[in-house]
Amino acid sequence: MKALQKILEEAVDFDAESVTLEYASEGLEIYFMRGHMGAGHVISDKKRVREIIRDVVDEANLERKAGGTIHLKISNKPYTVRVEEYDNFGDSAFRLSLKA
């Protein structure tokens, strides 16, 4: 869960309400959203992308459903992350909503 934890820590540093993970030709696009504003970057390392997606699916228990919850601590503060999987032009994409 180390790769996913790092992304969620970045989201908290950005004061994001949600994180979107979508596949693109360059790799995995990661968007940190707060209200109508956002920032993001692309991870092109395929091994790291697989690790992130595996972490999301495993931690949120998405093997047989499109939504789940992850409970974790970031900077010693408990967070609940609501995960929704959706279709994005034939690929799975994920929206992670953070709540302290």
Side-chain angles (χ1 to χ4, degrees), residues 13-82:
D13 289 344
F14 184 75
D15 199 23
E17 297 168 341
S18 66
V19 178
T20 302
L21 308 173
E22 294 182 351
Y23 287 105
S25 59
E26 302 84 18
L28 184 67
E29 293 179 340
I30 300 172
Y31 299 102
F32 304 110
M33 300 299 297
R34 173 125 188 114
H36 297 292
M37 294 178 43
H41 57 89
V42 174
I43 296 175
S44 57
D45 179 347
K46 291 180 185 203
K47 182 179 177 188
R48 188 162 173 232
V49 168
R50 284 191 302 273
E51 180 183 351
I52 292 165
I53 299 303
R54 184 180 59 243
D55 287 352
V56 171
V57 170
D58 290 349
E59 294 297 322
N61 241 350
L62 299 180
E63 288 84 10
R64 294 191 179 116
K65 54 186 180 178
T69 305
I70 301 171
H71 299 281
L72 72 153
K73 284 191 175 185
I74 299 173
S75 301
N76 290 323
K77 188 174 184 179
Y79 281 84
T80 299
V81 181
R82 175 82 179 117

